[in-house]
Amino acid sequence: GAVVSQHPSWVICKSGTSVKIECRSLDFQATTMFWYRQFPKQSLMLMATSNEGSKATYEQGVEKDKFLINHASLTLSTLTVTSAHPEDSSFYICSASHRGRDTQYFGPGTRLTVL
Amino acid sequence: DQQVKQNSPSLSVQEGRISILNCDYTNSMFDYFLWYKKYPAEGPTFLISISSIKDKNEDGRFTVFLNKSAKHLSLHIVPSQPGDSAVYFCAAKGAAGNKLTFGGGTRVLVKP
C-alpha cells in the first residue's frame, strides 16, 4: 500500500514553455500532497504543501505564480512550471499523506530539463 | 539555518556488518522523525519512523534510536546488505503542521 505515482518521469522542454507534472496516490486518499525539488547532490527542499480543495501554501522564496499547484481531488495533485527557464531544471518529487498520518509517501520523481 | 543535519556525507561498510547513520536536529518542537532511503533518479522510500515519546523503534534489520536530550537520532542497519547501498535521509516533523524537514543525506556503500 501507499503507492504514489508521478507522470512524466522525465521531460525536456524549451525555455519559455510550461510543463505540467502529475502526482497520484494510487491506493489511498491523500488529504495533503507536497512538492519538493532536489538539485544534484543536495537534499530535498519543500516547495509547497497542498490540501485537497484549498490553495497551496508555498515556502519562502518559491514563486507561486511560477509554480502553479492544483489539488483538485484526493488522489491527484499537479504542479505546473510556467515559463520554464534553464535554472528550473531539477528533479521534482511529490509526496502524499493521509489525514491524521505523519508519514509521507513519495513518488518516483520527475526529471525536468529546460533547454 | 539547517535544522536537521547529517554530518557524515558518506559511509562505507562491509556486507554483514552494522551500518550506523547519525542525524542531529536543533528544533525542540520536532516530535516525529523518519528515515528514508533513496536511489538515484527515484523518489525516497520510507524505511522507519519514531515518535518523540519513544526512544527506540525496530523493524526487521532497521532500528532507529532517539535521544531527545541530545537532539540526536540514529539508524542502525544490521546486517548490512549490498542492496542497502543508497542515500539515506533523516527527516523531522513538528507538532504543528505536517511539513518534513530533511537532512542533507548520507550515502551508504555496502561492499560485498
Side-chain angles (χ1 to χ4, degrees):
Chain A
V3 179
V4 177
S5 70
Q6 269 183 252
H7 179 79
S9 56
W10 59 271
V11 58
I12 302 173
C13 69
K14 291 184 179 180
S15 185
T17 60
S18 294
V19 174
K20 180 186 282 189
I21 303 170
E22 291 186 350
C23 177
R24 294 182 185 272
S25 57
L26 299 184
D27 53 359
F28 68 103
Q29 293 186 324
T31 49
T32 307
M33 285 186 168
F34 305 83
W35 287 95
Y36 294 82
R37 183 166 50 183
Q38 185 186 27
F39 291 106
K41 297 186 179 180
Q42 293 188 22
S43 187
L44 284 75
M45 299 300 297
L46 180 66
M47 298 174 66
T49 302
S50 75
N51 292 295
E52 185 263 338
S54 62
K55 288 186 178 181
T57 303
Y58 290 81
E59 294 301 300
Q60 193 172 12
V62 178
E63 300 174 58
K64 63 179 182 180
D65 295 328
K66 180 171 183 60
F67 298 99
L68 302 178
I69 292 172
N70 183 280
H71 190 167
S73 78
L74 285 171
T75 59
L76 173 64
S77 175
T78 60
L79 167 69
T80 301
V81 183
T82 62
S83 187
H85 290 284
E87 57 265 30
D88 298 324
S89 298
S90 186
F91 192 56
Y92 292 86
I93 314 172
C94 72
S95 71
S97 67
H98 184 65
R99 190 192 314 275
R101 304 282 176 86
D102 291 319
T103 303
Q104 292 181 24
Y105 296 93
F106 286 80
T110 297
R111 168 74 58 195
L112 170 63
T113 302
V114 185
L115 302 177
Chain B
D1 175 32
Q2 249 186 312
Q3 297 187 68
V4 180
K5 288 186 181 179
Q6 293 176 252
N7 291 317
S8 298
S10 64
L11 171 70
S12 182
V13 65
Q14 204 68 36
E15 180 180 6
R17 297 289 186 94
I18 185 172
S19 294
I20 300 177
L21 292 82
N22 294 302
C23 180
D24 297 294
Y25 61 97
T26 57
N27 190 340
S28 58
M29 300 304 292
F30 289 145
D31 69 345
Y32 194 73
F33 304 88
L34 308 91
W35 283 95
Y36 287 87
K37 172 182 178 181
K38 186 179 183 299
Y39 294 115
E42 293 185 14
T45 302
F46 170 71
L47 279 177
I48 192 168
S49 62
I50 188 167
S51 165
S52 60
I53 62 173
K54 295 186 175 182
D55 55 17
K56 177 182 175 180
N57 188 27
E58 189 173 353
D59 184 2
R61 296 186 298 117
F62 303 94
T63 303
V64 55
F65 296 91
L66 175 62
N67 183 333
K68 280 186 64 179
S69 60
K71 293 191 177 69
H72 177 84
L73 64 153
S74 62
L75 174 67
H76 293 204
I77 306 173
V78 56
S80 300
Q81 300 173 353
D84 296 330
S85 297
V87 178
Y88 290 77
F89 290 97
C90 70
K93 188 189 82 65
N98 47 11
K99 288 168 39 174
L100 291 181
T101 302
F102 281 84
T106 297
R107 182 176 302 277
V108 173
L109 174 64
V110 180
K111 300 177 184 177

